[in-house]
Short mmCIF file of all heavy atoms in Angstrom, two decimals:
data_model
loop_
_atom_site.label_atom_id
_atom_site.label_comp_id
_atom_site.label_asym_id
_atom_site.label_seq_id
_atom_site.Cartn_x
_atom_site.Cartn_y
_atom_site.Cartn_z
N GLN A 13 12.75 -5.13 -23.61
CA GLN A 13 12.92 -3.83 -24.33
C GLN A 13 11.67 -3.47 -25.11
O GLN A 13 11.52 -3.90 -26.21
CB GLN A 13 14.18 -3.78 -25.17
CG GLN A 13 14.50 -2.36 -25.73
CD GLN A 13 15.62 -2.40 -26.68
OE1 GLN A 13 15.40 -2.64 -27.89
NE2 GLN A 13 16.79 -2.17 -26.20
N VAL A 14 10.77 -2.70 -24.48
CA VAL A 14 9.57 -2.27 -25.16
C VAL A 14 9.88 -1.32 -26.28
O VAL A 14 9.36 -1.39 -27.39
CB VAL A 14 8.54 -1.62 -24.14
CG1 VAL A 14 7.34 -1.11 -24.90
CG2 VAL A 14 8.21 -2.65 -23.08
N THR A 15 10.81 -0.34 -25.95
CA THR A 15 11.34 0.56 -26.93
C THR A 15 12.84 0.78 -26.62
O THR A 15 13.28 0.35 -25.49
CB THR A 15 10.65 1.94 -26.86
OG1 THR A 15 11.07 2.61 -25.69
CG2 THR A 15 9.15 1.86 -26.95
N PRO A 16 13.63 1.34 -27.49
CA PRO A 16 15.03 1.56 -27.12
C PRO A 16 15.21 2.38 -25.83
O PRO A 16 16.26 2.28 -25.18
CB PRO A 16 15.63 2.28 -28.31
CG PRO A 16 14.75 1.84 -29.49
CD PRO A 16 13.34 1.71 -28.88
N ILE A 17 14.19 3.13 -25.52
CA ILE A 17 14.30 3.97 -24.28
C ILE A 17 13.77 3.23 -23.04
O ILE A 17 14.36 3.39 -21.94
CB ILE A 17 13.45 5.32 -24.43
CG1 ILE A 17 14.09 6.15 -25.56
CG2 ILE A 17 13.34 6.05 -23.23
CD1 ILE A 17 13.35 7.41 -25.92
N PHE A 18 12.71 2.49 -23.14
CA PHE A 18 12.05 1.93 -21.98
C PHE A 18 12.10 0.44 -21.92
O PHE A 18 11.74 -0.26 -22.87
CB PHE A 18 10.57 2.37 -22.02
CG PHE A 18 9.72 1.88 -20.83
CD1 PHE A 18 10.05 2.21 -19.55
CD2 PHE A 18 8.69 1.00 -21.11
CE1 PHE A 18 9.29 1.73 -18.49
CE2 PHE A 18 7.91 0.51 -20.00
CZ PHE A 18 8.22 0.91 -18.74
N SER A 19 12.65 -0.12 -20.76
CA SER A 19 12.72 -1.55 -20.53
C SER A 19 12.20 -1.90 -19.13
O SER A 19 12.93 -1.64 -18.15
CB SER A 19 14.15 -2.02 -20.70
OG SER A 19 14.66 -1.73 -21.98
N PRO A 20 11.01 -2.45 -19.05
CA PRO A 20 10.51 -2.87 -17.74
C PRO A 20 11.10 -4.24 -17.39
O PRO A 20 11.60 -4.95 -18.27
CB PRO A 20 9.00 -2.95 -17.94
CG PRO A 20 8.79 -3.28 -19.35
CD PRO A 20 10.01 -2.57 -20.06
N GLY A 21 11.02 -4.69 -16.12
CA GLY A 21 11.54 -5.97 -15.71
C GLY A 21 11.01 -6.42 -14.47
O GLY A 21 10.17 -5.74 -13.80
N ILE A 22 11.48 -7.56 -14.00
CA ILE A 22 11.23 -8.01 -12.63
C ILE A 22 12.48 -8.64 -12.11
O ILE A 22 13.25 -9.31 -12.84
CB ILE A 22 10.03 -8.99 -12.61
CG1 ILE A 22 9.62 -9.44 -11.19
CG2 ILE A 22 10.38 -10.28 -13.48
CD1 ILE A 22 8.31 -10.15 -11.07
N GLU A 23 12.73 -8.49 -10.78
CA GLU A 23 14.00 -8.90 -10.21
C GLU A 23 13.80 -9.52 -8.82
O GLU A 23 12.92 -9.09 -8.09
CB GLU A 23 14.99 -7.72 -10.12
CG GLU A 23 16.37 -8.12 -9.57
CD GLU A 23 17.34 -6.88 -9.61
OE1 GLU A 23 16.83 -5.82 -9.31
OE2 GLU A 23 18.50 -7.08 -9.79
N TRP A 24 14.55 -10.57 -8.56
CA TRP A 24 14.61 -11.24 -7.28
C TRP A 24 16.04 -11.10 -6.77
O TRP A 24 17.02 -11.24 -7.46
CB TRP A 24 14.24 -12.70 -7.41
CG TRP A 24 14.56 -13.53 -6.22
CD1 TRP A 24 13.86 -13.78 -5.13
CD2 TRP A 24 15.81 -14.35 -6.07
NE1 TRP A 24 14.47 -14.62 -4.26
CE2 TRP A 24 15.68 -15.01 -4.83
CE3 TRP A 24 16.93 -14.55 -6.85
CZ2 TRP A 24 16.72 -15.81 -4.32
CZ3 TRP A 24 17.94 -15.32 -6.28
CH2 TRP A 24 17.79 -15.97 -5.12
N TRP A 25 16.09 -10.85 -5.40
CA TRP A 25 17.42 -11.00 -4.77
C TRP A 25 17.31 -11.48 -3.31
O TRP A 25 16.23 -11.37 -2.68
CB TRP A 25 18.17 -9.60 -4.81
CG TRP A 25 17.50 -8.48 -4.13
CD1 TRP A 25 16.54 -7.60 -4.68
CD2 TRP A 25 17.72 -7.94 -2.81
NE1 TRP A 25 16.20 -6.66 -3.80
CE2 TRP A 25 16.85 -6.83 -2.63
CE3 TRP A 25 18.57 -8.28 -1.80
CZ2 TRP A 25 16.83 -6.10 -1.47
CZ3 TRP A 25 18.55 -7.58 -0.58
CH2 TRP A 25 17.67 -6.48 -0.44
N MET A 26 18.37 -12.10 -2.85
CA MET A 26 18.38 -12.65 -1.47
C MET A 26 19.62 -12.27 -0.79
O MET A 26 20.71 -12.05 -1.40
CB MET A 26 18.35 -14.20 -1.62
CG MET A 26 18.25 -14.91 -0.24
SD MET A 26 18.51 -16.70 -0.36
CE MET A 26 20.32 -16.72 -0.39
N ARG A 27 19.59 -12.14 0.56
CA ARG A 27 20.76 -11.87 1.33
C ARG A 27 20.78 -12.76 2.53
O ARG A 27 19.75 -12.88 3.24
CB ARG A 27 20.81 -10.37 1.75
CG ARG A 27 22.16 -10.10 2.46
CD ARG A 27 22.26 -8.60 2.78
NE ARG A 27 23.49 -8.28 3.54
CZ ARG A 27 24.66 -7.97 2.97
NH1 ARG A 27 24.76 -7.95 1.62
NH2 ARG A 27 25.71 -7.70 3.66
N TYR A 28 21.88 -13.43 2.70
CA TYR A 28 22.09 -14.33 3.85
C TYR A 28 23.50 -14.10 4.40
O TYR A 28 24.46 -14.15 3.58
CB TYR A 28 21.98 -15.80 3.51
CG TYR A 28 22.36 -16.76 4.58
CD1 TYR A 28 21.65 -16.90 5.75
CD2 TYR A 28 23.56 -17.39 4.41
CE1 TYR A 28 22.13 -17.74 6.73
CE2 TYR A 28 24.03 -18.25 5.37
CZ TYR A 28 23.33 -18.47 6.54
OH TYR A 28 23.77 -19.28 7.57
N ASP A 29 23.66 -13.89 5.68
CA ASP A 29 25.01 -13.88 6.25
C ASP A 29 25.03 -14.65 7.53
O ASP A 29 24.05 -15.02 8.08
CB ASP A 29 25.56 -12.45 6.39
CG ASP A 29 24.90 -11.65 7.47
OD1 ASP A 29 24.69 -12.18 8.62
OD2 ASP A 29 24.59 -10.49 7.26
N THR A 30 26.26 -14.90 8.02
CA THR A 30 26.42 -15.77 9.20
C THR A 30 26.49 -14.97 10.51
O THR A 30 27.00 -15.41 11.46
CB THR A 30 27.74 -16.60 9.01
OG1 THR A 30 28.85 -15.68 8.82
CG2 THR A 30 27.63 -17.52 7.86
N GLY A 31 25.87 -13.75 10.45
CA GLY A 31 25.88 -12.92 11.62
C GLY A 31 25.13 -13.52 12.79
O GLY A 31 25.43 -13.19 13.95
N GLY A 32 24.13 -14.35 12.55
CA GLY A 32 23.50 -15.05 13.61
C GLY A 32 22.13 -14.46 14.11
O GLY A 32 21.33 -15.16 14.68
N ASP A 33 21.91 -13.17 13.94
CA ASP A 33 20.64 -12.58 14.36
C ASP A 33 19.63 -12.53 13.18
O ASP A 33 19.89 -13.08 12.09
CB ASP A 33 20.86 -11.15 14.90
CG ASP A 33 21.43 -10.19 13.92
OD1 ASP A 33 21.60 -10.58 12.71
OD2 ASP A 33 21.70 -9.02 14.25
N TRP A 34 18.46 -11.94 13.42
CA TRP A 34 17.47 -11.93 12.35
C TRP A 34 17.94 -11.29 11.07
O TRP A 34 17.55 -11.73 9.97
CB TRP A 34 16.17 -11.26 12.89
CG TRP A 34 15.06 -11.23 11.90
CD1 TRP A 34 14.14 -12.23 11.65
CD2 TRP A 34 14.71 -10.19 10.99
NE1 TRP A 34 13.30 -11.90 10.63
CE2 TRP A 34 13.57 -10.60 10.17
CE3 TRP A 34 15.23 -8.88 10.73
CZ2 TRP A 34 13.00 -9.83 9.19
CZ3 TRP A 34 14.65 -8.09 9.75
CH2 TRP A 34 13.56 -8.55 9.01
N ASN A 35 18.77 -10.26 11.18
CA ASN A 35 19.26 -9.52 10.01
C ASN A 35 20.13 -10.48 9.18
O ASN A 35 20.31 -10.18 7.93
CB ASN A 35 20.11 -8.34 10.41
CG ASN A 35 19.22 -7.16 10.86
OD1 ASN A 35 18.15 -6.93 10.33
ND2 ASN A 35 19.72 -6.46 11.86
N GLY A 36 20.62 -11.56 9.71
CA GLY A 36 21.43 -12.54 8.93
C GLY A 36 20.62 -13.21 7.89
O GLY A 36 21.16 -13.68 6.88
N GLY A 37 19.30 -13.28 8.04
CA GLY A 37 18.44 -13.90 7.05
C GLY A 37 18.44 -15.41 7.05
O GLY A 37 18.72 -16.01 8.08
N PRO A 38 18.12 -16.02 5.94
CA PRO A 38 18.07 -15.34 4.60
C PRO A 38 16.85 -14.49 4.44
O PRO A 38 15.76 -14.89 4.95
CB PRO A 38 18.04 -16.57 3.61
CG PRO A 38 17.45 -17.63 4.39
CD PRO A 38 17.89 -17.46 5.86
N HIS A 39 16.96 -13.36 3.74
CA HIS A 39 15.83 -12.52 3.39
C HIS A 39 15.76 -12.38 1.86
O HIS A 39 16.80 -12.29 1.21
CB HIS A 39 16.03 -11.09 3.95
CG HIS A 39 16.02 -11.10 5.49
ND1 HIS A 39 15.01 -11.64 6.25
CD2 HIS A 39 17.01 -10.66 6.33
CE1 HIS A 39 15.32 -11.49 7.52
NE2 HIS A 39 16.52 -10.90 7.58
N GLN A 40 14.56 -12.51 1.36
CA GLN A 40 14.30 -12.52 -0.05
C GLN A 40 13.41 -11.39 -0.46
O GLN A 40 12.39 -11.12 0.28
CB GLN A 40 13.77 -13.79 -0.55
CG GLN A 40 14.64 -15.01 -0.28
CD GLN A 40 14.08 -16.29 -0.92
OE1 GLN A 40 13.98 -16.37 -2.17
NE2 GLN A 40 13.77 -17.22 -0.05
N TYR A 41 13.73 -10.70 -1.55
CA TYR A 41 12.93 -9.63 -2.08
C TYR A 41 12.53 -9.87 -3.57
O TYR A 41 13.42 -10.46 -4.28
CB TYR A 41 13.57 -8.29 -1.96
CG TYR A 41 13.61 -7.72 -0.56
CD1 TYR A 41 14.61 -8.21 0.36
CD2 TYR A 41 12.75 -6.76 -0.08
CE1 TYR A 41 14.72 -7.66 1.63
CE2 TYR A 41 12.82 -6.24 1.19
CZ TYR A 41 13.79 -6.66 2.05
OH TYR A 41 13.83 -6.15 3.30
N VAL A 42 11.42 -9.45 -4.06
CA VAL A 42 11.14 -9.50 -5.45
C VAL A 42 10.28 -8.27 -5.77
O VAL A 42 9.51 -7.81 -4.92
CB VAL A 42 10.39 -10.77 -5.82
CG1 VAL A 42 8.99 -10.87 -5.19
CG2 VAL A 42 10.28 -10.94 -7.29
N GLY A 43 10.40 -7.76 -6.99
CA GLY A 43 9.62 -6.58 -7.40
C GLY A 43 9.82 -6.16 -8.79
O GLY A 43 10.75 -6.59 -9.49
N PRO A 44 8.99 -5.25 -9.23
CA PRO A 44 9.18 -4.69 -10.62
C PRO A 44 10.30 -3.69 -10.73
O PRO A 44 10.60 -3.00 -9.76
CB PRO A 44 7.75 -4.07 -10.85
CG PRO A 44 7.33 -3.61 -9.44
CD PRO A 44 7.86 -4.61 -8.53
N THR A 45 10.79 -3.63 -11.91
CA THR A 45 11.90 -2.65 -12.21
C THR A 45 11.62 -1.98 -13.52
O THR A 45 10.72 -2.42 -14.27
CB THR A 45 13.26 -3.40 -12.31
OG1 THR A 45 13.25 -4.18 -13.52
CG2 THR A 45 13.54 -4.29 -11.12
N MET A 46 12.36 -0.91 -13.75
CA MET A 46 12.30 -0.27 -15.08
C MET A 46 13.60 0.43 -15.36
O MET A 46 14.27 0.86 -14.42
CB MET A 46 11.13 0.67 -15.21
CG MET A 46 11.29 1.99 -14.44
SD MET A 46 10.03 3.19 -14.86
CE MET A 46 10.60 4.63 -13.90
N ARG A 47 13.90 0.53 -16.63
CA ARG A 47 15.12 1.24 -17.04
C ARG A 47 14.70 2.25 -18.16
O ARG A 47 14.02 1.80 -19.15
CB ARG A 47 16.19 0.34 -17.56
CG ARG A 47 17.50 1.01 -17.94
CD ARG A 47 18.54 0.11 -18.54
NE ARG A 47 18.15 -0.39 -19.85
CZ ARG A 47 18.82 -1.22 -20.62
NH1 ARG A 47 19.95 -1.73 -20.11
NH2 ARG A 47 18.45 -1.61 -21.81
N ILE A 48 15.17 3.48 -17.99
CA ILE A 48 14.95 4.48 -18.99
C ILE A 48 16.29 4.85 -19.54
O ILE A 48 17.19 5.31 -18.74
CB ILE A 48 14.17 5.72 -18.49
CG1 ILE A 48 12.80 5.26 -17.97
CG2 ILE A 48 14.06 6.80 -19.47
CD1 ILE A 48 11.98 6.38 -17.34
N ASN A 49 16.61 4.75 -20.84
CA ASN A 49 17.87 4.87 -21.45
C ASN A 49 17.84 5.98 -22.50
O ASN A 49 17.09 5.78 -23.52
CB ASN A 49 18.37 3.59 -21.95
CG ASN A 49 19.70 3.67 -22.60
OD1 ASN A 49 20.50 4.58 -22.27
ND2 ASN A 49 20.05 2.74 -23.45
N PHE A 50 18.62 7.06 -22.34
CA PHE A 50 18.72 8.07 -23.38
C PHE A 50 20.09 8.08 -23.95
O PHE A 50 20.56 9.13 -24.44
CB PHE A 50 18.42 9.42 -22.73
CG PHE A 50 16.98 9.56 -22.33
CD1 PHE A 50 16.58 9.51 -21.02
CD2 PHE A 50 15.93 9.82 -23.28
CE1 PHE A 50 15.25 9.60 -20.62
CE2 PHE A 50 14.64 9.98 -22.85
CZ PHE A 50 14.28 9.84 -21.58
N GLY A 51 20.80 6.93 -23.97
CA GLY A 51 22.13 6.89 -24.57
C GLY A 51 23.15 7.29 -23.60
O GLY A 51 23.84 6.42 -22.96
N GLU A 52 23.46 8.58 -23.45
CA GLU A 52 24.51 9.05 -22.53
C GLU A 52 23.94 9.15 -21.13
O GLU A 52 24.77 9.36 -20.21
CB GLU A 52 25.05 10.39 -23.00
CG GLU A 52 24.16 11.61 -22.78
CD GLU A 52 23.10 11.77 -23.92
OE1 GLU A 52 23.16 11.03 -24.91
OE2 GLU A 52 22.31 12.70 -23.80
#
């Protein structure tokens, strides 16, 4: 939380399923994030 309004971050997520083809993975992603919060 840089300020009450702005919070940068970094996130990783993975997806794996037993479908059997390339889409089943596992596939992994990582990247920058940000949140802008004005209360409501």
Side-chain angles (χ1 to χ4, degrees):
Q13 187 185 87
V14 177
T15 72
I17 294 176
F18 179 62
S19 298
I22 187 168
E23 184 178 32
W24 164 87
W25 59 276
M26 185 192 82
R27 186 174 177 91
Y28 167 75
D29 71 45
T30 56
D33 61 4
W34 182 81
N35 284 325
H39 297 303
Q40 300 187 63
Y41 287 83
V42 67
T45 69
M46 72 171 185
R47 184 184 70 183
I48 297 176
N49 180 23
F50 292 103
E52 73 277 357

